[in-house]
């Protein structure tokens, strides 16, 4: 480097010509040291390179122009690069901290209506028919009494009650009013009569099955029914056929007169029972199981407030956001979060599900596979992007039915910022209005159930009994209102594609979800009657 500098300084020794002395660049020559070394060697580079192209007197001005041109060109390159990057980014949603900004989409005409509902000719037909002759045997001819614990949350309990009525019908047995068993997660001591209208339940089903409120007085040792192995039928397989109950359970009921069935979660199949039994289950679910009048009235008040939040009548969306800590943990999916959040979630999973967690080493590939297959609950931010792609504007009124969202306000921020008119029942009602429902967790869940049922659009974000019961009920009611079941596989694929543009994403979302709006679907083996009650609960008009 010293030799290079030395040769450069020797080459820079020159006697300025008159022309050079008069030029603007003569400043550089005048600035030489006494020993003749050039203090500005870069000026000599500009002179040697640009001298053939520019007159000497314009060289200084040209140098400034070149700097400006280079700066402008650099800025253009940066802008184009940024634009290309944004065009190729998933959804073109700009993230500003915890806020998402997505382009607006033209609202389609079918935003609030099920576009193909008029093309179907299905109607509900599981209601009780007046004037029919009951085939119910006399009370003294019953084969015995059955008793069940309805476990889990409100909607799992609802399914268990429907199945219990069906099993009682299959065996010509009398059903003792089910007990809503306290669940480890829900921690609730609610009784059947705290949620459902018992009188309506018994009266509506009086032509189908005999139901009594309590264990008969002649059975003195009631505690034995809850604890005695001799009084309990166990090992009933999941989705058991009707014939299993006739062959294996009915003889024991005839012998003991009163039997408890335990456990009783999903213990009756769908396509291996008579059609009239499935129709009876629909009759129980859609007609006999009514919430108490005070719950219905409060739900109607919440719906009215949602429709009139802007001072005039407007449609609203109900969003079932399944992103509670328990749901996130149980899914064993991976989510965006801090290192601390991931460590705490690992400890939580290890505590709650030690057998599945093991040492955690197998969970990462499992999480990737589940996300690829669309088996992970959607995050609030993902829901926001999907709804914007469907055309829902910022002003959309959204009712959120969920528990405490995992990650708190930071996790909710992208959804709330993109759709600020987002409320829960706690924000719609006063504390005093809800205090009467807080003593039973299932009462609050019932309010969410009814508001979602009556909303103009219902959006689920993950599977579960709540979502499938709502979608099934809305189908049964006439399927004119839209129920959106997201294609989570598509969402996962698009989220992982760094080159998908916003226009492509919007087209994929709209086209894919045209057939996922809650219309009745043809049934198939092992179909779920609660989500799709097409046959035998619905008939052609």
């Amino acid at each position: 480097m010293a030799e290079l500098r030395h040769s450069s300084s020797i080459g820079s020794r020159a006697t300025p010509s008159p022309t050079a002395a008069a030029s603007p660049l003569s400043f550089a020559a005048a600035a030489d040291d006494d020993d003749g070394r050039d203090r500005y060697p870069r000026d000599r580079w500009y002179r040697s390179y640009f001298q053939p192209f520019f007159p000497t007197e314009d060289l200084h001005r040209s140098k400034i122009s070149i700097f400006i041109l280079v700066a402008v060109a650099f800025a253009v390159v940066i802008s184009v690069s940024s634009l290309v990057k944004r065009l190729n980014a998933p959804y073109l949603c700009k993230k500003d901290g915890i806020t998402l900004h997505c382009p607006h989409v033209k609202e389609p005409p079918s935003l609030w209506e099920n576009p193909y509902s008029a093309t179907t000719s299905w109607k509900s037909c599981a209601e009780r028919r007046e004037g029919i002759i009951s085939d119910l045997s006399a009370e003294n001819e019953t084969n015995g009494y059955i008793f069940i614990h309805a476990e889990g949350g409100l909607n799992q309990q609802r399914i268990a009650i429907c199945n219990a009525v069906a099993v009682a019908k299959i065996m010509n047995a009398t059903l003792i009013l089910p007990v809503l068993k306290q669940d480890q997660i829900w921690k609730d001591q609610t009784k059947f009569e705290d949620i459902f209208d018992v009188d309506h339940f018994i009266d509506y089903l009086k032509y189908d099955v005999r139901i009594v409120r309590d264990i008969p007085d002649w059975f003195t040792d009631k505690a034995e029914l809850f604890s005695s192995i001799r009084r309990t039928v166990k090992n009933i397989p999941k989705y058991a056929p009707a014939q299993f109950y006739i062959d294996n359970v009915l003889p024991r009921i005839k012998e003991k007169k009163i039997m408890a069935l335990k456990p009783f979660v999903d213990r009756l199949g769908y396509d291996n029972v008579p059609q009239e039994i499935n129709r009876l289950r629909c009759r129980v679910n859609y007609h006999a199981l009514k919430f108490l009048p005070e719950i219905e009235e409060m739900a109607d008040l919440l719906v009215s407030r949602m429709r009139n939040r802007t001072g005039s009548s407007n449609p609203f969306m109900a969003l079932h956001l399944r992103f509670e800590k328990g749901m996130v943990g149980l899914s064993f999916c991976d989510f965006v979060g801090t290192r601390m959040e991931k460590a705490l979630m690992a400890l939580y999973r290890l505590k709650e599900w030690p057998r599945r967690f093991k040492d955690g080493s197998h969970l990462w590939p499992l999480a990737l596979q589940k996300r690829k297959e669309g088996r992970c609950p959607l995050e609030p931010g993902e829901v926001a992007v999907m709804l914007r792609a469907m055309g829902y504007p910022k002003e959309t009124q959204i009712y959120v039915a969920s528990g405490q969202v995992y990650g708190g306000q930071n996790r909710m921020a992208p959804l709330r910022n993109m759709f600020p008119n987002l409320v829960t029942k706690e924000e719609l009602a006063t504390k005093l209005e809800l205090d009467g429902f807080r003593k039973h967790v299932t009462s609050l869940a019932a309010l969410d159930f009814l508001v979602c049922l009556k909303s103009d659009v219902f959006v689920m974000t993950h599977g579960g009994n709540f979502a499938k019961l709502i979608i099934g009920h809305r189908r049964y009611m006439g399927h004119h209102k839209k129920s959106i079941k997201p294609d989570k596989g598509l969402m996962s694929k698009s989220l992982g594609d760094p080159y998908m543009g916003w226009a492509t994403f919007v087209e994929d979302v709209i086209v894919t979800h045209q057939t996922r709006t809650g219309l009745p679907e043809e049934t198939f083996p092992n179909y779920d009657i609660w989500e799709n009650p097409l046959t035998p609960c619905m008939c052609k008009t």
Side-chain angles (χ1 to χ4, degrees):
M1 290 296 289
E3 291 176 357
L4 184 60
R5 284 195 297 271
H6 178 65
S7 62
S8 177
S9 64
I10 292 175
S12 67
R13 294 172 187 168
T15 303
S17 64
T19 305
S23 73
L25 298 179
S26 61
F27 169 78
D32 288 352
D33 287 336
D34 293 338
D35 61 358
R37 287 183 297 178
D38 192 347
R39 295 175 62 187
Y40 300 90
R42 280 178 293 183
D43 283 354
R44 177 169 177 77
W45 179 82
Y46 280 106
R47 288 197 296 269
S48 64
Y49 189 85
F50 291 104
Q51 191 75 34
F53 304 96
F54 298 98
T56 305
E57 61 269 18
D58 295 329
L59 195 55
H60 184 67
R61 188 179 297 109
S62 300
K63 183 175 70 172
I64 296 174
S65 299
I66 290 168
F67 271 118
I68 294 174
L69 287 172
V70 170
V72 170
F74 183 77
V76 170
V77 169
I78 294 296
S79 299
V80 171
S81 175
S82 175
L83 179 61
V84 170
K85 185 176 180 181
R86 290 188 62 198
L87 286 172
N88 287 330
Y91 322 135
L92 277 187
C93 293
K94 181 181 178 183
K95 190 173 183 181
D96 182 12
I98 57 177
T99 303
L100 282 174
H101 300 283
C102 293
H104 287 279
V105 175
K106 183 179 179 180
E107 296 181 24
S110 60
L111 198 63
W112 296 102
E113 296 177 355
N114 209 339
Y116 302 107
S117 61
T119 65
T120 66
S121 56
W122 293 94
K123 68 171 186 176
S124 59
C125 61
E127 67 274 12
R128 185 178 68 182
R129 307 244 179 116
E130 299 294 340
I132 62 171
I133 300 175
S134 173
D135 60 352
L136 200 60
S137 59
E139 183 176 357
N140 58 355
E141 295 178 4
T142 180
N143 285 326
Y145 293 78
I146 63 172
F147 178 82
I148 69 147
H149 279 111
E151 301 176 348
L154 172 64
N155 299 288
Q156 189 170 322
Q157 292 170 346
R158 189 182 188 101
I159 292 174
I161 293 167
C162 296
N163 287 339
V165 173
V167 167
K169 179 68 174 180
I170 289 170
M171 299 187 295
N172 189 26
T174 299
L175 176 66
I176 300 170
L177 198 68
V179 168
L180 308 186
K181 186 179 179 182
Q182 178 179 345
D183 186 80
Q184 290 182 351
I185 297 176
W186 295 94
K187 309 288 186 187
D188 195 23
Q189 294 283 8
T190 305
K191 297 178 181 178
F192 191 103
E193 55 269 28
D194 294 329
I195 296 295
F196 300 109
D197 187 331
V198 178
D199 291 334
H200 175 80
F201 178 71
I202 295 175
D203 180 70
Y204 197 89
L205 297 171
K206 64 184 178 182
Y207 298 127
D208 297 295
V209 66
R210 185 169 291 102
I211 304 171
V212 295
R213 290 175 176 267
D214 204 352
I215 300 170
D217 294 334
W218 54 261
F219 188 77
T220 55
D221 194 359
K222 296 185 179 182
E224 182 185 357
L225 189 58
F226 296 90
S227 58
S228 174
I229 297 178
R230 293 184 298 106
R231 291 284 180 180
T232 303
V233 179
K234 291 189 175 183
N235 302 319
I236 300 174
K238 269 197 169 187
Y239 306 113
Q243 196 63 40
F244 177 89
Y245 285 91
I246 295 172
D247 295 340
N248 299 279
V249 181
L250 182 56
R252 298 192 63 185
I253 292 177
K254 286 182 175 180
E255 177 190 357
K256 299 292 185 180
K257 294 302 179 185
I258 295 182
M259 295 292 292
L261 309 184
K262 183 180 179 181
F264 200 72
V265 178
D266 297 326
R267 301 293 149 173
L268 184 64
Y270 302 117
D271 56 352
N272 50 14
V273 300
Q275 291 285 59
E276 61 267 21
I277 294 299
N278 280 334
R279 189 176 295 113
L280 174 59
R281 289 200 277 189
C282 289
R283 190 172 304 132
V284 178
N285 187 33
Y286 303 125
H287 300 284
L289 272 178
K290 286 187 64 176
F291 293 111
L292 290 176
E294 53 264 35
I295 296 177
E296 297 269 2
E297 290 168 7
M298 188 66 214
D300 287 339
L301 182 60
L302 294 176
V303 169
S304 175
R305 289 175 181 175
M306 281 301 303
R307 295 199 189 284
N308 294 282
R309 292 191 70 226
T310 60
S312 58
S313 181
N314 56 261
F316 76 96
M317 172 189 294
L319 173 64
H320 185 222
L321 193 58
R322 290 302 308 274
F323 209 76
E324 306 92 344
K325 183 178 179 179
M327 186 68 253
V328 173
L330 182 60
S331 72
F332 279 84
C333 293
D334 187 64
F335 298 94
V336 176
T338 65
R339 185 174 298 179
M340 178 62 71
E341 279 181 321
K342 290 178 181 290
L344 291 175
M345 178 53 68
L347 292 174
Y348 174 69
R349 285 170 171 166
L350 177 61
K351 177 184 176 183
E352 296 294 331
W353 303 280
R355 290 187 178 181
R356 288 187 61 187
F357 188 85
K358 300 177 183 177
D359 61 356
S361 60
H362 67 295
L363 294 180
W364 176 243
L366 175 64
L368 291 178
Q369 182 65 22
K370 292 185 72 173
R371 184 165 291 279
K372 181 179 179 181
E373 295 172 356
R375 293 191 289 142
C376 294
L378 294 177
E379 297 191 45
E382 295 171 339
V383 176
V385 173
M386 180 190 71
L387 293 178
R388 180 56 49 81
M390 289 179 175
Y392 289 96
K394 180 179 181 180
E395 298 75 25
T396 302
Q397 305 290 325
I398 301 179
Y399 177 91
V400 178
S402 73
Q404 184 65 40
V405 172
Y406 174 65
Q409 292 303 315
N410 283 349
R411 185 78 65 174
M412 283 292 292
L415 176 60
R416 190 174 289 277
N417 289 329
M418 201 176 296
F419 295 96
N421 296 323
L422 182 149
V423 294
T424 63
K425 57 182 172 294
E426 288 78 12
E427 294 168 300
L428 276 178
T430 66
K431 181 179 180 299
L432 183 61
E433 287 174 323
L434 291 181
D435 278 346
F437 302 93
R438 294 187 191 280
K439 58 183 178 181
H440 301 301
V441 175
T442 44
S443 296
L444 296 175
L447 291 176
D448 280 342
F449 184 94
L450 289 171
V451 175
C452 288
L453 192 62
K454 299 175 182 182
S455 64
D456 297 279
V457 171
F458 171 69
V459 181
M460 60 175 286
T461 60
H462 196 48
N465 293 321
F466 184 100
K468 67 184 181 183
L469 282 170
I470 291 291
I471 289 180
H473 208 138
R474 289 166 69 91
R475 278 177 169 146
Y476 184 81
M477 289 166 57
H479 50 269
H480 297 294
K481 294 181 179 180
K482 189 184 294 186
S483 300
I484 300 175
K485 184 177 181 180
D487 185 339
K488 295 184 291 180
L490 170 70
M491 293 296 296
S492 174
K493 179 181 177 182
S494 301
L495 279 169
D497 186 353
Y499 302 106
M500 177 172 283
W502 174 251
T504 303
F505 174 71
V506 168
E507 183 181 6
D508 286 353
V509 168
I510 292 176
V511 171
T512 301
H513 291 88
Q514 283 179 346
T515 57
R516 303 176 71 90
T517 56
L519 293 176
E521 299 175 1
E522 291 296 334
T523 54
F524 49 87
N526 298 315
Y527 74 99
D528 194 325
I529 194 175
W530 311 116
E531 185 173 344
N532 185 35
L534 182 59
T535 54
C537 304
M538 301 181 73
C539 308
K540 285 279 189 177
T541 55

